[in-house]
Amino acid sequence: QVQLVESGGGLVQAGESLRLSCVASGRTLSSYAMGWFRQAPGQVREFVARISRTAGRTYYADSVKGRFTISRDNAKNTVYLQMNSLKPEDTAVYYCAASQSGYNYESPLQYAYWGQGTQVTVSS
């Protein structure tokens, strides 16, 4: 089992940047592909980004492509989400998640372990 803890959320103005971090414990982060999801009030949890175990492949939702960058440092057991040019519609609780599956990576059902979430609020 792996435990995940997100941090780095906060309140920013549109156009500003944030970097989210997710630190893993229990098992080494390198055992898992990692994803970021977000959930706004009244909305389903949606896929944001995913990175493979060795950081060789990344995937992004169309809504964040070109603005967000997922990365990982397995030596630090940490995955990051760099969020640039933030928009009010990016406002949500952001979750990191761990997966041992490379199939259907956009589905939350493919991720067995989740962090507690960190709030990102973007004001206009």
Side-chain angles (χ1 to χ4, degrees), residues 36-39 44-49 59-69 81-92 94 106:
W36 285 97
F37 288 76
R38 65 188 183 186
Q39 188 167 17
V44 300
R45 190 165 298 186
E46 67 173 348
F47 169 77
V48 175
Y59 307 89
Y60 298 93
D62 289 342
S63 59
V64 307
K65 198 171 297 182
R67 298 188 298 120
F68 291 10
T69 302
L81 185 68
Q82 178 67 44
M83 305 185 295
N84 297 328
S85 301
L86 283 163
K87 304 174 181 179
E89 51 263 45
D90 295 319
T91 296
Y94 283 71
E106 294 183 354

Side-chain angles (χ1 to χ4, degrees), residues 6-97:
E6 304 98 331
S7 63
L11 174 63
V12 298
Q13 294 181 337
E16 295 182 344
S17 298
L18 282 173
R19 189 178 75 160
L20 306 183
S21 299
C22 176
V23 179
S25 62
R27 292 184 179 178
T28 57
L29 189 66
S30 61
S31 297
Y32 304 94
M34 298 296 297
W36 285 97
F37 288 76
R38 65 188 183 186
Q39 188 167 17
Q43 304 296 316
V44 300
R45 190 165 298 186
E46 67 173 348
F47 169 77
V48 175
R50 179 182 172 104
I51 189 166
S52 63
R53 296 181 184 185
T54 60
R57 292 179 174 84
T58 58
Y59 307 89
Y60 298 93
D62 289 342
S63 59
V64 307
K65 198 171 297 182
R67 298 188 298 120
F68 291 10
T69 302
I70 188 171
S71 62
R72 68 192 299 162
D73 187 340
N74 287 343
K76 296 181 179 179
N77 280 334
T78 303
V79 62
Y80 305 95
L81 185 68
Q82 178 67 44
M83 305 185 295
N84 297 328
S85 301
L86 283 163
K87 304 174 181 179
E89 51 263 45
D90 295 319
T91 296
V93 176
Y94 283 71
Y95 300 88
C96 68

